[in-house]
Amino acid sequence: MTGKGRILIIADDLTGAMDSAGPFAGRGVETWVVADPAACDPSSLKSAHVVSVNTDSRHLSGPVAAERVAEAEMMSVAEQFLAGSEDVAALGAG
């Protein structure tokens, strides 16, 4: 991947996070999957161009799942990953 563009994928389960990230990794793009956002050290993601975050929200009711996804978008993992990027794309997966 050229330039400073980054992609953040927010997925509702680990399978979705892995499935969504796989095509990028398969093309040689440095890609990381965050299985547990609360346990992730955001500094470990600095070299990644694609980060896929598992929100573990598939089994939750609509309003609770939406809250979990909003939290994921605002958490330090996402904020630090996207900080300083000129081109950013955020994708939902599920």
Side-chain angles (χ1 to χ4, degrees), residues 27-63:
R27 287 174 177 76
V29 177
E30 181 144 359
T31 304
W32 287 69
V33 174
V34 178
D36 182 0
C40 180
D41 175 6
S43 67
S44 67
L45 306 174
K46 287 184 180 188
S47 64
H49 288 281
V50 177
V51 170
S52 187
V53 179
N54 167 34
T55 62
D56 195 26
S57 59
R58 178 173 290 244
H59 61 282
L60 302 175
S61 67

Side-chain angles (χ1 to χ4, degrees), residues 1-92:
M1 182 173 236
T2 61
K4 295 184 179 182
R6 291 183 166 191
I7 298 172
L8 174 66
I9 301 168
I10 305 291
D12 64 358
D13 66 5
L14 186 56
T15 301
M18 298 290 288
D19 286 349
S20 298
F24 294 99
R27 287 174 177 76
V29 177
E30 181 144 359
T31 304
W32 287 69
V33 174
V34 178
D36 182 0
C40 180
D41 175 6
S43 67
S44 67
L45 306 174
K46 287 184 180 188
S47 64
H49 288 281
V50 177
V51 170
S52 187
V53 179
N54 167 34
T55 62
D56 195 26
S57 59
R58 178 173 290 244
H59 61 282
L60 302 175
S61 67
V64 176
E67 185 176 310
R68 175 93 44 100
V69 169
E71 289 171 2
E73 291 172 344
M74 299 305 294
M75 71 184 161
S76 63
V77 169
E79 288 178 347
Q80 288 189 30
F81 171 68
L82 297 175
S85 291
E86 294 175 4
D87 299 311
V88 174
L91 307 172

